[in-house]
Amino acid sequence: MDLSIDLHCHSNLSDGTLPPREVVARARQNGVDVLALTDHDSVDGIAEAQAAALLEGVVLIPGVEVSVTWMAQTIHVVGLRVDPHNVALRVGLAALQALRVERARAIGKKLEKAGVPGAYEATVAAAGIEAVTRTHFARYLLEHGYAKDLEGAFKRWLGKNGKAYVRGDWASLGDAVAMIRGAGGQAVVAHPARYKLSSRRLMDMLKEFKAAGGVAIEVACGSHSEDDRQRFAVIALQLQLLSSAGSDFHSPANTRVDLGRSLRLPPKCVPIWDSWGLESTALAPIAELELVPPAYVRGAL
Ligand code: AMP
Ligand code: MN
Ligand code: MN
Ligand code: MN
């Protein structure tokens, strides 16, 4: 059976716009069989996604996208199959969320100085979470006429040369991988073509990632061109890394990359999910599954 597998997306527990249950429902509608929810520095949406996935007959892979600073550059490391209850992971993510709150306040101050008052408070209120991302600010700027589109909001305000740019000082590459592995997960470098690194630096980063225990890179993803895919398929083989695939879906308003799209891996890649035993996993909707109570329940019966 050919499964549709999407291992990177966001809910409104980070900078996606849909609640986790709607992300799962949309994935199902798009024909996705296996979905990883990978919110920025948060596993808070996993429980809801897991419940929805059981009802929809989707296999939900608990995930997270950890923010990393490597050589003054932001790198994103996706964790797949993490235990969302793992204490060290939760402590590590809480620290990153605290950094997000601090940075968001600093962005708010810079916006204030540049003539955009009240953005921090309004952005946090609209987000419904405290640890907001720049995407949340971008939406505020867009809605209030300070930018034409999200891209413009990053260019003029939030991006590296923007008036309200504040650098994030995130986890180290080693700490991020350790956090993911400690929670039983597999670490994956997200959208490797997006980083502004020379090819040499990029290879150094990937080697360091592998030495720290990272196992895969995203070869197919929403922000990779066909050329990027071919290039990173070769790099994955060279470095003996597994390949992952994910849409990086954020919102139905941005239909550039919908759930379940942009997922084709070049044939030479070794998919990260090959060792997951998915073919033997029951993908039938819950009504068709034989529900076996867990051992502790059986013991009490
Ligand atoms: P943060 O982690 O708070 O720095 O925010 C990063 C997020 O902003 C990314 O995950 C993307 O979803 C989004 N983002 C970054 N650059 C752009 C851009 N040029 N246009 C639209 N969204 C962007
Ligand atoms: Mn994002
Ligand atoms: Mn990312
Ligand atoms: Mn992402």
Side-chain angles (χ1 to χ4, degrees):
M1 185 171 45
D2 225 5
L3 297 173
S4 167
I5 299 176
D6 187 341
L7 299 178
H8 186 155
C9 71
H10 297 273
S11 76
N12 64 357
L13 274 304
S14 67
D15 60 353
T17 56
L18 301 179
R21 63 182 178 282
E22 289 179 28
V23 174
V24 172
R26 187 180 181 94
R28 178 73 281 186
Q29 273 168 17
N30 287 3
V32 174
D33 300 301
V34 181
L35 178 74
L37 179 66
T38 56
D39 275 314
H40 295 288
D41 307 317
S42 172
V43 288
D44 294 343
I46 301 294
E48 183 183 313
Q50 185 69 75
L54 276 170
L55 292 170
E56 299 273 355
V58 171
V59 173
L60 193 278
I61 306 294
V64 63
E65 183 173 14
V66 180
S67 308
V68 164
T69 301
W70 185 82
M71 302 261 178
Q73 284 280 335
T74 298
I75 306 288
H76 286 171
V77 177
V78 162
L80 297 176
R81 303 178 95 202
V82 293
D83 169 9
H85 304 293
N86 179 271
V87 174
L89 176 66
R90 295 191 80 105
V91 168
L93 296 180
L96 290 171
Q97 289 179 15
L99 290 172
R100 282 197 171 278
V101 172
E102 236 176 81
R103 186 184 62 149
R105 291 210 176 99
I107 291 174
K109 279 196 184 130
K110 281 202 167 177
L111 284 171
E112 200 109 33
K113 274 197 186 140
V116 184
Y120 171 72
E121 291 75 11
T123 295
V124 170
I129 54 168
E130 253 195 304
V132 291
T133 69
R134 284 183 295 164
T135 313
H136 293 98
F137 278 101
R139 290 196 189 114
Y140 175 84
L141 292 166
L142 188 58
E143 277 161 27
H144 291 79
Y146 295 103
K148 282 201 310 287
D149 49 27
L150 283 186
E151 199 63 45
F154 275 87
K155 203 161 181 191
R156 180 158 177 218
W157 302 100
L158 303 161
K160 226 162 202 162
N161 301 312
K163 290 184 196 169
Y165 177 67
V166 180
R167 218 183 62 205
D169 281 312
W170 310 119
S172 72
L173 190 55
D175 283 354
V177 173
M179 231 190 264
I180 291 164
R181 295 182 78 203
Q186 292 176 294
V188 182
V189 171
H191 41 65
R194 278 240 302 263
Y195 307 121
K196 294 196 170 47
L197 294 168
S198 66
S199 351
R200 191 172 167 175
R201 273 264 166 122
L202 181 71
M203 291 304 269
D204 287 347
M205 188 270 284
L206 293 176
K207 283 177 192 164
E208 194 179 317
F209 167 77
K210 188 176 175 183
V215 295
I217 57 176
E218 282 181 355
V219 168
C221 71
S223 48
H224 276 190
S225 66
E226 189 52 41
D227 278 358
D228 294 332
R229 266 178 222 224
Q230 296 303 329
R231 179 170 161 231
F232 283 98
V234 171
I235 290 176
L237 285 178
Q238 262 176 4
L239 298 181
Q240 294 193 302
L241 288 164
L242 303 171
S243 297
S244 190
S247 62
D248 205 0
F249 171 80
H250 281 72
S251 156
N254 173 5
T255 48
R256 195 170 59 90
V257 269
D258 209 331
L259 289 157
R261 309 284 183 257
S262 302
L263 304 177
R264 206 181 48 73
L265 287 178
K268 49 193 174 256
C269 294
V270 183
I272 188 170
W273 57 85
D274 263 7
S275 62
W276 292 356
L278 290 172
E279 297 294 341
S280 61
T281 308
L283 288 170
I286 196 163
E288 293 170 27
L289 296 178
E290 187 191 348
L291 288 175
V292 181
Y296 67 91
V297 177
R298 286 204 303 273
L301 291 176

